[in-house]
Amino acid sequence: MSANGRHVVGRVGDVVTTVGVEHVRLSYEYLDRRDMDGYGSLFDDEAELSSPVAGVVRGRAGIESYQAERAVDGGRHVVEEVIAAPGRVVVVGRVTGAGREVEFVDLFTLTEHGLLRSQKSFFFAAPR
């Protein structure tokens, strides 16, 4: 920390994590705009996305294709909290669209260059 209380990014891991956090935030913006080229550019070529809905989707092109198919016109991600550690980012939020709202938690891992290596999604479901 510096004298003014702000975190000083000094280690390479910190820089990569800072870049990764920005890439995660951008991923939601690109999804909401349905910009699949921009969205895909944030992922490593061999990235993996896994969720209860998708199962496991491998590769940048596969992830782009999956997200393009499930995009909802007017859908919007609301990021409520971002938690970062070296090489990892966790997002807590909600997604709205098609007349519904779903809470989610996404776990991301990062490459050494700050690209998204993996995304694992969890959704809130009320107990039955």
Side-chain angles (χ1 to χ4, degrees):
M1 293 261 184
S2 68
N4 66 4
R6 289 192 165 160
H7 182 71
V8 177
V9 176
R11 296 189 325 257
V12 171
D14 290 341
V15 171
V16 169
T17 302
T18 299
V19 169
V21 166
E22 186 59 25
H23 286 168
V24 167
R25 287 185 183 279
L26 281 170
S27 74
Y28 298 114
E29 289 181 32
Y30 287 145
L31 282 175
D32 292 350
R33 287 190 284 194
R34 299 182 71 166
D35 177 354
M36 292 305 137
D37 289 333
Y39 174 76
S41 73
L42 304 171
F43 284 83
D44 183 71
D45 287 336
E46 298 176 15
E48 284 189 359
L49 180 145
S50 61
S51 79
V53 176
V56 177
V57 179
R58 291 183 172 83
R60 177 187 291 169
I63 292 169
E64 285 179 35
S65 177
Y66 167 75
Q67 292 289 21
E69 288 175 15
R70 69 182 287 267
V72 174
D73 280 333
R76 192 170 83 84
H77 291 83
V78 178
V79 173
E80 296 171 348
E81 186 172 3
V82 176
I83 303 161
R88 300 186 186 281
V89 179
V90 177
V91 175
V92 178
R94 62 188 194 283
V95 62
T96 61
R100 62 184 179 162
E101 181 173 286
V102 177
E103 295 176 4
F104 68 88
V105 173
D106 284 338
L107 267 58
F108 293 88
T109 61
L110 309 172
T111 69
E112 63 276 6
H113 303 292
L115 291 175
L116 308 180
R117 179 186 313 274
S118 68
Q119 178 181 355
K120 188 168 190 173
S121 298
F122 301 89
F123 301 100
F124 174 76
R128 294 179 181 214

